[in-house]
Amino acid sequence: MSSIKEYFTSVGKGIKSLVQGMEVTGKELVTPKITEQYPENRATLEIPERFRAELTLKYDAEGRHKCIACGICQMNCPNGTITLQTKMVDLPDGKKKRKLDKYMYDLGSCTFCMLCVTTCPQDALEFSNDFEQATFTREALVKQLNYRPEVEDPAPQPKAESSAQ
C-alpha cells in the first residue's frame, strides 16, 4: 500500500517540476530578444566600463610609463602571464637604478583576475576595453607592453653655488 502512495507522490513531484520548468521556458519565450549586429555596429557598440580585455601600461603626456620594475605584478600573477626583464642603469650621480627593459604579457593565458592592477604600487597598469584580440596563432597573443621608445630623463641641473659676501 505504501509503495503505491510513494509512486503517486513521486509522479506528483515530477509533474510539479515539469510545470516549473515549462513556466521558466514560457517566460523566456515571450521576452523580447536583442541581437547585436556585430561587426556592423562597431561605431555604436557600448562596452561596459568595467570590462577587462587587455592589460596595458599607463603613459603620461610626455610618453613615460609609470612602471618602476618592482616585479610585484609578476609575483602576484597566478599563472605566470606577466614576465619582467629589467636592466641596471647608471644615474648621473653615480648610483645604480633598476629600469624596465621588457614587460611581456601573455593575453592567451591571462585570467583577467586584476591582481596585477590592484597591487601595483605606482598605478602603472590598467585593463583596456579593446576586446578584438583574435589571432591565428597563440604566439601573437604574447605582447610587449612597453613598446614605445623610452623617453630619456632630463639631465640634472648643476647646483648654483651661493657666494657668501
Side-chain angles (χ1 to χ4, degrees), residues 114-165:
M114 207 164 172
L115 286 173
C116 53
V117 175
T118 56
T119 59
C120 181
Q122 298 297 313
D123 191 32
L125 298 169
E126 67 182 350
F127 274 99
S128 72
N129 281 355
D130 183 19
F131 66 94
E132 294 179 328
Q133 300 296 326
T135 61
F136 289 105
T137 62
R138 291 187 61 84
E139 292 79 27
L141 294 173
V142 178
K143 301 178 180 194
Q144 182 175 347
L145 296 189
N146 61 331
Y147 56 89
R148 295 182 184 176
E150 194 168 334
V151 177
E152 293 296 323
D153 292 328
Q157 299 295 327
K159 293 182 181 178
E161 295 188 28
S162 61
S163 58
Q165 293 178 348

Side-chain angles (χ1 to χ4, degrees), residues 37-90:
Q37 298 297 325
Y38 181 80
E40 291 83 15
N41 68 343
R42 278 187 180 147
T44 60
L45 188 63
E46 292 183 28
I47 301 169
E49 184 181 325
R50 293 178 56 188
F51 179 73
R52 302 174 192 162
E54 179 186 20
L55 189 66
T56 57
L57 279 176
K58 290 182 183 178
Y59 284 87
D60 62 8
E62 298 170 355
R64 290 188 181 90
H65 56 75
K66 298 179 179 181
C67 183
I68 59 171
C70 64
I72 293 175
C73 55
Q74 181 179 357
M75 289 185 286
N76 287 335
C77 185
N79 56 352
T81 297
I82 298 171
T83 307
L84 295 180
Q85 294 177 7
T86 60
K87 60 182 176 184
M88 296 301 285
V89 295
D90 294 323

Side-chain angles (χ1 to χ4, degrees), residues 15-43:
I15 291 173
K16 181 182 174 190
S17 174
L18 177 67
V19 169
Q20 286 176 341
M22 293 305 287
E23 182 180 329
V24 170
T25 303
K27 284 180 185 176
E28 196 58 38
L29 187 65
V30 296
T31 58
K33 306 299 180 263
I34 300 171
T35 303
E36 291 287 340
Q37 298 297 325
Y38 181 80
E40 291 83 15
N41 68 343
R42 278 187 180 147

